[in-house]
Amino acid sequence: MSETIWLIPLIPLLSSVTLMLFGSRFKALQIGALGVGSVGIAALLTLLLAAEFMQNQQVIQLSLWTWMEVAGFAPGISFYFDGLTLVMMSVITGVGFLIHLFSTEFMEKDPSYARYFAYLNMFVAAMLVLVMADNLLLLYLGWEGVGVCSYLLVGFWYQHNANGHAARKAFIVTRIGDTAMALGLLLLFTELGTLDIQTMVGEANQTWQVGDTVPLIACLLLVCGAVGKSAQLPLHTWLPDAMAGPTPVSALIHAATMVTAGVYLIARTHGLFLLAPTAMTVVAVIGITTSLMAAFTALMQTDIKRILAYSTISQIGYMFLALGVGAWSAGIFHLMTHAFFKALLFLGSGAIIHCLHHEHNIFKMGGLRTKMPVTFWSFMIGSAALAALPMTSGFFSKDQILLQAYQLPDIGPGLWMAGLLGALLTAIYSFRLVFVVFFGKANTEPDKDTGWRMAVPLSVLCFLAMVGGWFMIPVTEVFPAGDGSHPAHWVEYVSISVPIFGVLIAYLIFYSGRLKIDGLANSALGKSLGQFWLSGWGIDWLYDRLFVRPYYGLANLLKGEPVDAIYGFIVALNQTFNHWLSVAQSGRMRWYLASMVAGLILVITLAANLSVGVL
């Protein structure tokens, strides 16, 4: 099985190319079978590979051919498979298969059905290349591939200008981080002479000492790339707008896979980051700051998909926090469990939107508990896991992160307290969503319920969101082992209690109404804070005035091509001289003789003056 690992990304890629070239000739059933079946085969092959790996625990390295060879630089099309790769591939193909199946019902009436699956399968292929790559150059190829696919899928309904704007924003903002990452790769190659990940990490540990400047700069450049792709401060602004794409796209790309690419990059190159403790502290601070910012913002949103988008930003912040405090396994564990419950929530929101005449405003919903029972339980289980309620998958992974953050010297307790605040806010906004949408009075009646192609993926993800925390991910050989220490029991008791308290607050405010906050919300301070949080802490407003408007102003200034004015002046001057010469050519003999005589007199006068000057 290990010799055919290359088939796993190839099959979705071939499906994508086939749909691009011949999709217009296929029927909807054939398109769905090709799109879903290719990812299903990739998932099956991944399962067989996982069984082989779990049996012998041997790392698989497979080099197919040399990609290029320039002055001793010879990166290959090579794959590296270990426990970390297995976790990522399982999420991509397993969750990806469920989302593809859901899409066959959600998108079946779209006229661009074949184009949708072509883009989606291309994304799966690119994401698999990213996580399977044995060298950073091949990883960067997959990295750019998922960026292009994200652009295509966010702007899938390109007929609306807002969707095109969201796609361009996602592409440009992530491009900032990608450029910094490319500089980091160049620096690493210049200093170490290789981009093969395992060789590079080994060379780095022999060449540099902990705390050296060069690994710090290289790691910070990689962090910039991770921040852009994983939607962390200050490059997070693209993700909420990216909800313009179809909802299954948001479930796959902007919840379960692409936005975790930055987390994977840092985890895969953890050997470098261990040489740069300052960079790890930066990662932790970025993560917890982003988590709190996004959690406060999610509290104020009314669009169901934007709530989940900010929730994704916040949860990835927890993953960054884990990586920054050295809780590598906990961070990847949360990546996996987050893929389960966030894909579940996004698909659940897609089912609601699909059945409620494309309504997005949660305050125009209500009362769906009995009318859409499968979706209701999906949201209940997904929200419980998101809030990290005990015994759900999110509880096990988030609890590990917070406990290990607490043990970090100096800033650990501060990070732990900030993480608890984020957990409290997460419980409040997630169950605010549940109580508003599924309880109370129905403001919009669904015109249908979910079919089996939607219900099956939701049910499977419900199961994974509940039991996923019991899975043992095989990354013990990938990351350095912890010291085995454990904080005091009261720390764990507090971590468990905070999400429960958050659910209670949400119940008292949004369901029973016993806790009145109208006075606070309608006060001057309340309105100001609410508007500030609703706007995403004004970061989009700031970027608009610092970068977007000046850029458009400069573009409008250059719209008339001012440089061309110089060449235009030269042309106008020549045209004027030509006009004068044309007027002089009158055809009259007297004029010509007079001109010749005047010219002769002028020449003789100049010659005489020059002669006198010489003498």
Side-chain angles (χ1 to χ4, degrees):
M1 183 61 211
S2 60
E3 296 299 322
T4 59
I5 188 174
W6 53 274
L7 287 173
I8 297 176
L10 180 63
I11 292 173
L13 179 62
L14 291 177
S15 170
S16 174
V17 173
T18 302
L19 289 171
M20 287 181 187
L21 296 177
F22 309 109
S24 60
R25 303 179 184 179
F26 295 157
K27 296 180 180 179
L29 182 61
Q30 295 171 318
I31 294 169
L34 186 59
V36 177
S38 61
V39 179
I41 293 173
L44 179 61
L45 293 176
T46 301
L47 181 62
L48 295 175
L49 188 64
E52 178 182 325
F53 177 81
M54 296 302 290
Q55 185 175 4
N56 53 37
Q57 293 290 320
Q58 290 184 352
V59 172
I60 299 170
Q61 290 182 281
L62 179 65
S63 182
L64 299 180
W65 65 82
T66 300
W67 184 359
M68 63 183 78
E69 190 168 357
V70 182
F73 177 55
I77 303 297
S78 305
F79 299 127
Y80 183 87
F81 185 90
D82 62 1
L84 177 58
T85 314
L86 173 59
V87 173
M88 296 300 297
M89 290 176 65
S90 299
V91 168
I92 295 166
T93 58
V95 177
F97 170 74
L98 296 174
I99 294 171
H100 274 66
L101 179 59
F102 185 95
S103 297
T104 58
E105 182 175 340
F106 188 88
M107 297 292 294
E108 66 180 346
K109 295 182 180 179
D110 195 284
S112 298
Y113 194 54
R115 179 167 62 90
Y116 171 81
F117 277 106
Y119 291 167
L120 213 60
N121 284 14
M122 186 196 304
F123 169 82
V124 170
M127 191 70 198
L128 285 169
V129 169
L130 190 158
V131 301
M132 294 169 63
D134 191 25
N135 61 80
L136 287 177
L137 189 63
L138 185 60
L139 183 151
Y140 195 69
L141 175 67
W143 188 276
E144 293 300 292
V146 296
V148 170
C149 293
S150 176
Y151 168 79
L152 295 172
L153 286 163
V154 170
F156 180 77
W157 289 314
Y158 59 86
Q159 298 88 348
H160 303 286
N161 290 334
N163 296 345
H165 181 271
R168 291 192 298 273
K169 182 177 181 180
F171 193 77
I172 292 169
V173 173
T174 55
R175 177 63 48 201
I176 298 169
D178 295 351
T179 303
M181 178 180 170
L183 294 175
L185 300 190
L186 292 173
L187 176 61
L188 289 169
F189 177 73
T190 302
E191 295 294 325
L192 302 175
T194 181
L195 288 179
D196 292 340
I197 298 174
Q198 308 308 316
T199 305
M200 180 192 68
V201 172
E203 289 289 334
N205 281 274
Q206 293 180 9
T207 305
W208 298 320
Q209 300 295 321
V210 175
D212 282 353
T213 302
V214 177
L216 173 61
I217 296 173
C219 287
L220 289 178
L221 289 171
L222 293 181
V223 168
C224 290
V227 161
K229 198 68 78 180
S230 291
Q232 298 292 283
L233 277 169
L235 300 179
H236 68 286
T237 56
W238 64 270
L239 184 58
D241 289 351
M243 297 301 103
T247 305
V249 170
S250 302
L252 179 63
I253 296 184
H254 304 131
T257 54
M258 189 191 85
V259 289
T260 60
V263 178
Y264 170 78
L265 174 67
I266 297 175
R268 176 56 75 193
T269 57
H270 69 276
L272 290 176
F273 280 84
L274 290 173
L275 295 172
T278 303
M280 290 183 63
T281 302
V282 169
V283 170
V285 172
I286 288 175
I288 195 61
T289 305
T290 305
S291 182
L292 290 176
M293 179 279 302
F296 275 108
T297 305
L299 275 174
M300 305 304 299
Q301 301 299 311
T302 58
D303 185 308
I304 188 170
K305 288 182 66 177
R306 289 182 74 88
I307 295 172
L308 297 177
Y310 279 107
S311 171
T312 296
I313 296 172
S314 181
Q315 294 305 303
I316 296 174
Y318 276 104
M319 299 175 207
F320 268 63
L321 172 63
L323 301 178
V325 301
W328 309 101
S329 298
I332 298 303
F333 191 30
H334 194 56
L335 184 155
M336 181 188 73
T337 60
H338 176 263
F340 298 154
F341 63 72
K342 189 52 64 66
L344 173 62
L345 288 170
F346 264 114
L347 293 185
S349 71
I352 293 171
I353 293 167
H354 186 68
C355 298
L356 259 67
H357 323 289
H358 303 283
E359 181 59 65
H360 284 238
N361 191 330
I362 61 173
F363 291 102
K364 293 183 179 179
M365 300 176 185
L368 297 180
R369 179 167 52 89
T370 56
K371 297 180 173 63
M372 301 181 68
V374 174
T375 307
F376 165 67
W377 284 110
S378 299
F379 256 86
M380 283 293 291
I381 293 172
S383 297
L386 172 60
L389 293 184
M391 309 314 293
T392 62
S393 61
F395 162 75
F396 290 99
S397 55
K398 191 181 290 186
D399 190 55
Q400 286 185 24
I401 295 172
L402 292 176
L403 293 181
Q404 292 195 47
Y406 179 83
Q407 298 177 84
L408 190 71
D410 300 326
I411 63 172
L415 294 175
W416 175 73
M417 292 177 66
L420 288 180
L421 176 58
L424 176 68
L425 296 173
T426 300
I428 294 173
Y429 72 67
S430 57
F431 277 87
R432 164 185 179 255
L433 182 59
V434 169
F435 292 137
V436 170
V437 172
F438 292 99
F439 293 84
K441 180 184 177 182
N443 297 309
T444 304
E445 291 291 334
D447 58 358
K448 53 191 170 185
D449 198 357
T450 53
W452 72 268
R453 287 173 293 171
M454 285 186 175
V456 168
L458 290 173
S459 301
V460 174
L461 287 170
C462 281
F463 174 76
L464 292 174
M466 286 300 298
V467 306
W470 298 93
F471 294 170
M472 297 295 293
I473 58 174
V475 295
T476 53
E477 301 298 325
V478 179
F479 302 119
D483 59 9
S485 61
H486 196 280
H489 289 299
W490 70 267
V491 176
E492 188 165 5
Y493 295 152
V494 172
S495 297
I496 295 173
S497 303
V498 165
I500 299 174
F501 184 60
V503 174
L504 177 62
I505 292 175
Y507 173 83
L508 294 175
I509 295 175
F510 301 106
Y511 183 75
S512 69
R514 295 177 184 176
L515 184 59
K516 303 295 184 182
I517 60 170
D518 293 343
L520 178 62
N522 294 325
S523 66
L525 178 60
K527 288 182 178 179
S528 298
L529 281 176
Q531 188 59 40
F532 180 64
W533 293 341
L534 179 63
S535 68
W537 293 45
I539 296 175
D540 264 317
W541 177 90
L542 180 63
Y543 288 172
D544 184 62
R545 279 151 183 79
L546 286 180
F547 304 112
V548 178
R549 291 191 181 184
Y551 175 81
Y552 277 117
L554 181 62
N556 289 329
L557 181 64
L558 298 176
K559 191 175 182 179
E561 299 288 355
V563 176
D564 279 351
I566 300 173
Y567 301 106
F569 173 74
I570 296 173
V571 171
L573 189 62
N574 280 281
Q575 288 177 337
T576 301
F577 282 132
N578 178 70
H579 175 69
W580 290 348
L581 291 173
S582 297
V583 171
Q585 302 300 316
S586 62
R588 296 179 180 179
M589 187 62 67
R590 292 178 182 178
W591 169 250
Y592 293 158
L593 290 173
S595 299
M596 290 173 62
V597 171
L600 183 60
I601 293 172
L602 180 61
V603 170
I604 293 172
T605 302
L606 291 174
N609 289 335
L610 288 174
S611 298
V612 172
V614 171
L615 294 175

